[in-house]
PDB file of all heavy atoms in Angstrom:
ATOM      1  N   GLY A  58      -3.802   4.763   8.656  1.00  0.00           N
ATOM      2  CA  GLY A  58      -5.255   4.616   8.661  1.00  0.00           C
ATOM      3  C   GLY A  58      -5.876   5.088   7.357  1.00  0.00           C
ATOM      4  O   GLY A  58      -5.219   5.670   6.496  1.00  0.00           O
ATOM      5  N   PHE A  59      -7.174   4.811   7.223  1.00  0.00           N
ATOM      6  CA  PHE A  59      -7.897   5.157   6.009  1.00  0.00           C
ATOM      7  C   PHE A  59      -9.218   5.831   6.349  1.00  0.00           C
ATOM      8  O   PHE A  59      -9.834   5.547   7.375  1.00  0.00           O
ATOM      9  CB  PHE A  59      -8.160   3.892   5.183  1.00  0.00           C
ATOM     10  CG  PHE A  59      -6.903   3.221   4.736  1.00  0.00           C
ATOM     11  CD1 PHE A  59      -6.309   2.244   5.515  1.00  0.00           C
ATOM     12  CD2 PHE A  59      -6.287   3.595   3.554  1.00  0.00           C
ATOM     13  CE1 PHE A  59      -5.133   1.627   5.120  1.00  0.00           C
ATOM     14  CE2 PHE A  59      -5.111   2.994   3.146  1.00  0.00           C
ATOM     15  CZ  PHE A  59      -4.525   2.013   3.928  1.00  0.00           C
ATOM     16  N   LEU A  60      -9.655   6.726   5.456  1.00  0.00           N
ATOM     17  CA  LEU A  60     -10.931   7.407   5.574  1.00  0.00           C
ATOM     18  C   LEU A  60     -11.800   7.043   4.385  1.00  0.00           C
ATOM     19  O   LEU A  60     -11.303   6.927   3.264  1.00  0.00           O
ATOM     20  CB  LEU A  60     -10.736   8.931   5.579  1.00  0.00           C
ATOM     21  CG  LEU A  60      -9.880   9.526   6.669  1.00  0.00           C
ATOM     22  CD1 LEU A  60      -9.657  11.015   6.402  1.00  0.00           C
ATOM     23  CD2 LEU A  60     -10.527   9.327   8.028  1.00  0.00           C
ATOM     24  N   ILE A  61     -13.091   6.869   4.621  1.00  0.00           N
ATOM     25  CA  ILE A  61     -14.042   6.694   3.535  1.00  0.00           C
ATOM     26  C   ILE A  61     -14.967   7.904   3.561  1.00  0.00           C
ATOM     27  O   ILE A  61     -15.376   8.359   4.634  1.00  0.00           O
ATOM     28  CB  ILE A  61     -14.829   5.370   3.649  1.00  0.00           C
ATOM     29  CG1 ILE A  61     -15.710   5.174   2.406  1.00  0.00           C
ATOM     30  CG2 ILE A  61     -15.624   5.287   4.930  1.00  0.00           C
ATOM     31  CD1 ILE A  61     -16.297   3.768   2.289  1.00  0.00           C
ATOM     32  N   THR A  62     -15.261   8.431   2.381  1.00  0.00           N
ATOM     33  CA  THR A  62     -16.112   9.603   2.254  1.00  0.00           C
ATOM     34  C   THR A  62     -17.257   9.301   1.320  1.00  0.00           C
ATOM     35  O   THR A  62     -17.037   8.824   0.197  1.00  0.00           O
ATOM     36  CB  THR A  62     -15.311  10.806   1.704  1.00  0.00           C
ATOM     37  OG1 THR A  62     -14.201  11.053   2.558  1.00  0.00           O
ATOM     38  CG2 THR A  62     -16.172  12.050   1.616  1.00  0.00           C
ATOM     39  N   ASP A  63     -18.476   9.552   1.772  1.00  0.00           N
ATOM     40  CA  ASP A  63     -19.629   9.479   0.886  1.00  0.00           C
ATOM     41  C   ASP A  63     -19.578  10.722   0.002  1.00  0.00           C
ATOM     42  O   ASP A  63     -19.379  11.830   0.486  1.00  0.00           O
ATOM     43  CB  ASP A  63     -20.927   9.456   1.698  1.00  0.00           C
ATOM     44  CG  ASP A  63     -22.131   9.341   0.800  1.00  0.00           C
ATOM     45  OD1 ASP A  63     -22.494   8.211   0.453  1.00  0.00           O
ATOM     46  OD2 ASP A  63     -22.694  10.398   0.427  1.00  0.00           O
ATOM     47  N   LEU A  64     -19.760  10.546  -1.301  1.00  0.00           N
ATOM     48  CA  LEU A  64     -19.632  11.653  -2.247  1.00  0.00           C
ATOM     49  C   LEU A  64     -20.988  12.241  -2.623  1.00  0.00           C
ATOM     50  O   LEU A  64     -21.214  12.625  -3.759  1.00  0.00           O
ATOM     51  CB  LEU A  64     -18.875  11.176  -3.494  1.00  0.00           C
ATOM     52  CG  LEU A  64     -17.451  10.687  -3.233  1.00  0.00           C
ATOM     53  CD1 LEU A  64     -16.825  10.131  -4.499  1.00  0.00           C
ATOM     54  CD2 LEU A  64     -16.601  11.810  -2.646  1.00  0.00           C
ATOM     55  N   GLY A  65     -21.886  12.313  -1.643  1.00  0.00           N
ATOM     56  CA  GLY A  65     -23.206  12.884  -1.890  1.00  0.00           C
ATOM     57  C   GLY A  65     -24.155  11.913  -2.561  1.00  0.00           C
ATOM     58  O   GLY A  65     -25.074  12.328  -3.269  1.00  0.00           O
ATOM     59  N   SER A  66     -23.954  10.628  -2.318  1.00  0.00           N
ATOM     60  CA  SER A  66     -24.808   9.610  -2.938  1.00  0.00           C
ATOM     61  C   SER A  66     -26.244   9.744  -2.443  1.00  0.00           C
ATOM     62  O   SER A  66     -26.492  10.182  -1.324  1.00  0.00           O
ATOM     63  CB  SER A  66     -24.283   8.211  -2.622  1.00  0.00           C
ATOM     64  OG  SER A  66     -24.425   7.931  -1.248  1.00  0.00           O
ATOM     65  N   ARG A  67     -27.168   9.345  -3.285  1.00  0.00           N
ATOM     66  CA  ARG A  67     -28.588   9.430  -2.915  1.00  0.00           C
ATOM     67  C   ARG A  67     -28.956   8.385  -1.872  1.00  0.00           C
ATOM     68  O   ARG A  67     -29.718   8.656  -0.949  1.00  0.00           O
ATOM     69  CB  ARG A  67     -29.445   9.233  -4.160  1.00  0.00           C
ATOM     70  CG  ARG A  67     -30.938   9.190  -3.842  1.00  0.00           C
ATOM     71  CD  ARG A  67     -31.757   9.106  -5.070  1.00  0.00           C
ATOM     72  NE  ARG A  67     -31.733  10.434  -5.682  1.00  0.00           N
ATOM     73  CZ  ARG A  67     -32.259  10.716  -6.851  1.00  0.00           C
ATOM     74  NH1 ARG A  67     -32.819   9.775  -7.549  1.00  0.00           N
ATOM     75  NH2 ARG A  67     -32.214  11.935  -7.329  1.00  0.00           N
ATOM     76  N   ASN A  68     -28.410   7.177  -1.987  1.00  0.00           N
ATOM     77  CA  ASN A  68     -28.820   6.067  -1.120  1.00  0.00           C
ATOM     78  C   ASN A  68     -27.865   5.787   0.023  1.00  0.00           C
ATOM     79  O   ASN A  68     -28.077   4.863   0.796  1.00  0.00           O
ATOM     80  CB  ASN A  68     -29.037   4.812  -1.960  1.00  0.00           C
ATOM     81  CG  ASN A  68     -30.200   4.984  -2.903  1.00  0.00           C
ATOM     82  OD1 ASN A  68     -31.277   5.415  -2.500  1.00  0.00           O
ATOM     83  ND2 ASN A  68     -29.987   4.690  -4.172  1.00  0.00           N
ATOM     84  N   GLY A  69     -26.802   6.561   0.153  1.00  0.00           N
ATOM     85  CA  GLY A  69     -25.966   6.499   1.335  1.00  0.00           C
ATOM     86  C   GLY A  69     -24.838   5.487   1.320  1.00  0.00           C
ATOM     87  O   GLY A  69     -24.814   4.538   0.557  1.00  0.00           O
ATOM     88  N   THR A  70     -23.893   5.751   2.218  1.00  0.00           N
ATOM     89  CA  THR A  70     -22.777   4.855   2.524  1.00  0.00           C
ATOM     90  C   THR A  70     -22.883   4.541   4.007  1.00  0.00           C
ATOM     91  O   THR A  70     -23.088   5.443   4.820  1.00  0.00           O
ATOM     92  CB  THR A  70     -21.433   5.539   2.202  1.00  0.00           C
ATOM     93  OG1 THR A  70     -21.403   5.871   0.811  1.00  0.00           O
ATOM     94  CG2 THR A  70     -20.257   4.643   2.536  1.00  0.00           C
ATOM     95  N   PHE A  71     -22.752   3.272   4.353  1.00  0.00           N
ATOM     96  CA  PHE A  71     -22.944   2.823   5.728  1.00  0.00           C
ATOM     97  C   PHE A  71     -21.707   2.085   6.216  1.00  0.00           C
ATOM     98  O   PHE A  71     -21.104   1.306   5.482  1.00  0.00           O
ATOM     99  CB  PHE A  71     -24.151   1.877   5.819  1.00  0.00           C
ATOM    100  CG  PHE A  71     -25.441   2.535   5.424  1.00  0.00           C
ATOM    101  CD1 PHE A  71     -25.776   2.708   4.095  1.00  0.00           C
ATOM    102  CD2 PHE A  71     -26.317   2.995   6.395  1.00  0.00           C
ATOM    103  CE1 PHE A  71     -26.965   3.326   3.727  1.00  0.00           C
ATOM    104  CE2 PHE A  71     -27.505   3.613   6.039  1.00  0.00           C
ATOM    105  CZ  PHE A  71     -27.827   3.780   4.698  1.00  0.00           C
ATOM    106  N   ILE A  72     -21.337   2.341   7.456  1.00  0.00           N
ATOM    107  CA  ILE A  72     -20.296   1.572   8.138  1.00  0.00           C
ATOM    108  C   ILE A  72     -20.970   0.914   9.326  1.00  0.00           C
ATOM    109  O   ILE A  72     -21.510   1.597  10.199  1.00  0.00           O
ATOM    110  CB  ILE A  72     -19.140   2.466   8.619  1.00  0.00           C
ATOM    111  CG1 ILE A  72     -18.481   3.170   7.434  1.00  0.00           C
ATOM    112  CG2 ILE A  72     -18.108   1.632   9.387  1.00  0.00           C
ATOM    113  CD1 ILE A  72     -17.403   4.160   7.855  1.00  0.00           C
ATOM    114  N   ASN A  73     -20.963  -0.407   9.344  1.00  0.00           N
ATOM    115  CA  ASN A  73     -21.580  -1.170  10.436  1.00  0.00           C
ATOM    116  C   ASN A  73     -23.011  -0.704  10.704  1.00  0.00           C
ATOM    117  O   ASN A  73     -23.409  -0.484  11.839  1.00  0.00           O
ATOM    118  CB  ASN A  73     -20.730  -1.073  11.709  1.00  0.00           C
ATOM    119  CG  ASN A  73     -19.321  -1.555  11.474  1.00  0.00           C
ATOM    120  OD1 ASN A  73     -19.093  -2.514  10.745  1.00  0.00           O
ATOM    121  ND2 ASN A  73     -18.362  -0.882  12.067  1.00  0.00           N
ATOM    122  N   HIS A  74     -23.784  -0.524   9.651  1.00  0.00           N
ATOM    123  CA  HIS A  74     -25.207  -0.143   9.681  1.00  0.00           C
ATOM    124  C   HIS A  74     -25.467   1.311  10.037  1.00  0.00           C
ATOM    125  O   HIS A  74     -26.609   1.706  10.204  1.00  0.00           O
ATOM    126  CB  HIS A  74     -26.025  -1.055  10.603  1.00  0.00           C
ATOM    127  CG  HIS A  74     -26.008  -2.480  10.187  1.00  0.00           C
ATOM    128  ND1 HIS A  74     -26.691  -2.947   9.090  1.00  0.00           N
ATOM    129  CD2 HIS A  74     -25.367  -3.554  10.712  1.00  0.00           C
ATOM    130  CE1 HIS A  74     -26.485  -4.246   8.966  1.00  0.00           C
ATOM    131  NE2 HIS A  74     -25.680  -4.632   9.934  1.00  0.00           N
ATOM    132  N   TYR A  75     -24.427   2.132  10.188  1.00  0.00           N
ATOM    133  CA  TYR A  75     -24.610   3.557  10.487  1.00  0.00           C
ATOM    134  C   TYR A  75     -24.270   4.373   9.249  1.00  0.00           C
ATOM    135  O   TYR A  75     -23.173   4.240   8.693  1.00  0.00           O
ATOM    136  CB  TYR A  75     -23.711   3.997  11.655  1.00  0.00           C
ATOM    137  CG  TYR A  75     -24.112   3.371  12.949  1.00  0.00           C
ATOM    138  CD1 TYR A  75     -23.450   2.245  13.425  1.00  0.00           C
ATOM    139  CD2 TYR A  75     -25.168   3.893  13.697  1.00  0.00           C
ATOM    140  CE1 TYR A  75     -23.826   1.644  14.623  1.00  0.00           C
ATOM    141  CE2 TYR A  75     -25.541   3.303  14.894  1.00  0.00           C
ATOM    142  CZ  TYR A  75     -24.872   2.176  15.339  1.00  0.00           C
ATOM    143  OH  TYR A  75     -25.252   1.592  16.518  1.00  0.00           O
ATOM    144  N   ARG A  76     -25.215   5.202   8.833  1.00  0.00           N
ATOM    145  CA  ARG A  76     -24.978   6.034   7.658  1.00  0.00           C
ATOM    146  C   ARG A  76     -23.944   7.098   7.999  1.00  0.00           C
ATOM    147  O   ARG A  76     -23.986   7.704   9.069  1.00  0.00           O
ATOM    148  CB  ARG A  76     -26.272   6.697   7.195  1.00  0.00           C
ATOM    149  CG  ARG A  76     -26.099   7.425   5.878  1.00  0.00           C
ATOM    150  CD  ARG A  76     -27.402   7.864   5.312  1.00  0.00           C
ATOM    151  NE  ARG A  76     -27.170   8.441   3.995  1.00  0.00           N
ATOM    152  CZ  ARG A  76     -28.126   8.694   3.143  1.00  0.00           C
ATOM    153  NH1 ARG A  76     -29.392   8.439   3.443  1.00  0.00           N
ATOM    154  NH2 ARG A  76     -27.846   9.219   1.966  1.00  0.00           N
ATOM    155  N   ILE A  77     -23.013   7.304   7.067  1.00  0.00           N
ATOM    156  CA  ILE A  77     -21.991   8.320   7.277  1.00  0.00           C
ATOM    157  C   ILE A  77     -22.289   9.530   6.398  1.00  0.00           C
ATOM    158  O   ILE A  77     -22.932   9.422   5.358  1.00  0.00           O
ATOM    159  CB  ILE A  77     -20.570   7.790   6.988  1.00  0.00           C
ATOM    160  CG1 ILE A  77     -20.406   7.415   5.512  1.00  0.00           C
ATOM    161  CG2 ILE A  77     -20.233   6.626   7.897  1.00  0.00           C
ATOM    162  CD1 ILE A  77     -18.966   7.198   5.092  1.00  0.00           C
ATOM    163  N   TYR A  78     -21.827  10.658   6.859  1.00  0.00           N
ATOM    164  CA  TYR A  78     -21.925  11.910   6.117  1.00  0.00           C
ATOM    165  C   TYR A  78     -20.535  12.518   6.130  1.00  0.00           C
ATOM    166  O   TYR A  78     -19.952  12.703   7.198  1.00  0.00           O
ATOM    167  CB  TYR A  78     -22.930  12.855   6.770  1.00  0.00           C
ATOM    168  CG  TYR A  78     -24.332  12.283   6.777  1.00  0.00           C
ATOM    169  CD1 TYR A  78     -24.786  11.543   7.859  1.00  0.00           C
ATOM    170  CD2 TYR A  78     -25.166  12.453   5.691  1.00  0.00           C
ATOM    171  CE1 TYR A  78     -26.061  11.000   7.866  1.00  0.00           C
ATOM    172  CE2 TYR A  78     -26.454  11.910   5.685  1.00  0.00           C
ATOM    173  CZ  TYR A  78     -26.887  11.194   6.774  1.00  0.00           C
ATOM    174  OH  TYR A  78     -28.140  10.640   6.773  1.00  0.00           O
ATOM    175  N   GLY A  79     -19.978  12.772   4.980  1.00  0.00           N
ATOM    176  CA  GLY A  79     -18.612  13.273   4.932  1.00  0.00           C
ATOM    177  C   GLY A  79     -17.626  12.132   5.148  1.00  0.00           C
ATOM    178  O   GLY A  79     -17.903  10.981   4.839  1.00  0.00           O
ATOM    179  N   ALA A  80     -16.456  12.449   5.694  1.00  0.00           N
ATOM    180  CA  ALA A  80     -15.394  11.461   5.882  1.00  0.00           C
ATOM    181  C   ALA A  80     -15.517  10.765   7.233  1.00  0.00           C
ATOM    182  O   ALA A  80     -15.816  11.398   8.234  1.00  0.00           O
ATOM    183  CB  ALA A  80     -14.028  12.134   5.781  1.00  0.00           C
ATOM    184  N   SER A  81     -15.281   9.456   7.243  1.00  0.00           N
ATOM    185  CA  SER A  81     -15.270   8.656   8.470  1.00  0.00           C
ATOM    186  C   SER A  81     -14.078   7.713   8.432  1.00  0.00           C
ATOM    187  O   SER A  81     -13.752   7.151   7.388  1.00  0.00           O
ATOM    188  CB  SER A  81     -16.550   7.830   8.598  1.00  0.00           C
ATOM    189  OG  SER A  81     -17.660   8.664   8.788  1.00  0.00           O
ATOM    190  N   ARG A  82     -13.447   7.542   9.591  1.00  0.00           N
ATOM    191  CA  ARG A  82     -12.283   6.658   9.687  1.00  0.00           C
ATOM    192  C   ARG A  82     -12.739   5.206   9.652  1.00  0.00           C
ATOM    193  O   ARG A  82     -13.721   4.836  10.297  1.00  0.00           O
ATOM    194  CB  ARG A  82     -11.527   6.944  10.971  1.00  0.00           C
ATOM    195  CG  ARG A  82     -10.250   6.135  11.086  1.00  0.00           C
ATOM    196  CD  ARG A  82      -9.394   6.675  12.217  1.00  0.00           C
ATOM    197  NE  ARG A  82      -8.314   5.783  12.524  1.00  0.00           N
ATOM    198  CZ  ARG A  82      -7.162   5.729  11.856  1.00  0.00           C
ATOM    199  NH1 ARG A  82      -6.964   6.538  10.848  1.00  0.00           N
ATOM    200  NH2 ARG A  82      -6.218   4.884  12.203  1.00  0.00           N
ATOM    201  N   LEU A  83     -12.012   4.407   8.894  1.00  0.00           N
ATOM    202  CA  LEU A  83     -12.271   2.968   8.838  1.00  0.00           C
ATOM    203  C   LEU A  83     -11.425   2.257   9.885  1.00  0.00           C
ATOM    204  O   LEU A  83     -10.255   2.594  10.082  1.00  0.00           O
ATOM    205  CB  LEU A  83     -11.943   2.421   7.452  1.00  0.00           C
ATOM    206  CG  LEU A  83     -12.895   2.838   6.341  1.00  0.00           C
ATOM    207  CD1 LEU A  83     -12.338   2.445   4.980  1.00  0.00           C
ATOM    208  CD2 LEU A  83     -14.264   2.221   6.562  1.00  0.00           C
ATOM    209  N   GLN A  84     -12.030   1.291  10.546  1.00  0.00           N
ATOM    210  CA  GLN A  84     -11.343   0.466  11.545  1.00  0.00           C
ATOM    211  C   GLN A  84     -11.273  -0.966  11.022  1.00  0.00           C
ATOM    212  O   GLN A  84     -12.123  -1.393  10.236  1.00  0.00           O
ATOM    213  CB  GLN A  84     -12.107   0.485  12.873  1.00  0.00           C
ATOM    214  CG  GLN A  84     -12.312   1.867  13.456  1.00  0.00           C
ATOM    215  CD  GLN A  84     -11.014   2.503  13.903  1.00  0.00           C
ATOM    216  OE1 GLN A  84     -10.087   1.839  14.354  1.00  0.00           O
ATOM    217  NE2 GLN A  84     -10.939   3.815  13.749  1.00  0.00           N
ATOM    218  N   ASP A  85     -10.293  -1.712  11.492  1.00  0.00           N
ATOM    219  CA  ASP A  85     -10.176  -3.119  11.118  1.00  0.00           C
ATOM    220  C   ASP A  85     -11.472  -3.840  11.481  1.00  0.00           C
ATOM    221  O   ASP A  85     -11.978  -3.706  12.597  1.00  0.00           O
ATOM    222  CB  ASP A  85      -8.989  -3.740  11.855  1.00  0.00           C
ATOM    223  CG  ASP A  85      -8.698  -5.146  11.382  1.00  0.00           C
ATOM    224  OD1 ASP A  85      -8.946  -5.447  10.200  1.00  0.00           O
ATOM    225  OD2 ASP A  85      -8.221  -5.950  12.200  1.00  0.00           O
ATOM    226  N   GLY A  86     -12.046  -4.567  10.533  1.00  0.00           N
ATOM    227  CA  GLY A  86     -13.269  -5.325  10.774  1.00  0.00           C
ATOM    228  C   GLY A  86     -14.551  -4.580  10.427  1.00  0.00           C
ATOM    229  O   GLY A  86     -15.633  -5.170  10.500  1.00  0.00           O
ATOM    230  N   ASP A  87     -14.471  -3.300  10.066  1.00  0.00           N
ATOM    231  CA  ASP A  87     -15.669  -2.556   9.678  1.00  0.00           C
ATOM    232  C   ASP A  87     -16.311  -3.184   8.440  1.00  0.00           C
ATOM    233  O   ASP A  87     -15.619  -3.690   7.562  1.00  0.00           O
ATOM    234  CB  ASP A  87     -15.332  -1.089   9.342  1.00  0.00           C
ATOM    235  CG  ASP A  87     -15.194  -0.213  10.564  1.00  0.00           C
ATOM    236  OD1 ASP A  87     -15.600  -0.646  11.662  1.00  0.00           O
ATOM    237  OD2 ASP A  87     -14.681   0.907  10.418  1.00  0.00           O
ATOM    238  N   ARG A  88     -17.638  -3.101   8.405  1.00  0.00           N
ATOM    239  CA  ARG A  88     -18.388  -3.543   7.228  1.00  0.00           C
ATOM    240  C   ARG A  88     -18.948  -2.312   6.545  1.00  0.00           C
ATOM    241  O   ARG A  88     -19.666  -1.533   7.161  1.00  0.00           O
ATOM    242  CB  ARG A  88     -19.509  -4.484   7.620  1.00  0.00           C
ATOM    243  CG  ARG A  88     -18.989  -5.804   8.135  1.00  0.00           C
ATOM    244  CD  ARG A  88     -20.141  -6.761   8.375  1.00  0.00           C
ATOM    245  NE  ARG A  88     -19.629  -8.019   8.823  1.00  0.00           N
ATOM    246  CZ  ARG A  88     -19.549  -9.100   8.043  1.00  0.00           C
ATOM    247  NH1 ARG A  88     -19.977  -9.055   6.810  1.00  0.00           N
ATOM    248  NH2 ARG A  88     -19.062 -10.220   8.521  1.00  0.00           N
ATOM    249  N   VAL A  89     -18.598  -2.154   5.277  1.00  0.00           N
ATOM    250  CA  VAL A  89     -19.050  -1.012   4.488  1.00  0.00           C
ATOM    251  C   VAL A  89     -20.128  -1.493   3.534  1.00  0.00           C
ATOM    252  O   VAL A  89     -19.984  -2.536   2.893  1.00  0.00           O
ATOM    253  CB  VAL A  89     -17.877  -0.386   3.701  1.00  0.00           C
ATOM    254  CG1 VAL A  89     -18.366   0.721   2.777  1.00  0.00           C
ATOM    255  CG2 VAL A  89     -16.809   0.126   4.650  1.00  0.00           C
TER     256      VAL A  89
END
Side-chain angles (χ1 to χ4, degrees):
F59 298 91
L60 300 173
I61 186 168
T62 303
D63 182 86
L64 299 175
S66 67
R67 175 175 285 174
N68 294 311
T70 300
F71 298 79
I72 300 175
N73 303 322
H74 299 287
Y75 293 98
R76 187 170 185 167
I77 64 166
Y78 298 92
S81 293
R82 184 168 169 82
L83 289 170
Q84 303 293 327
D85 187 31
D87 279 346
R88 292 186 178 256
V89 175

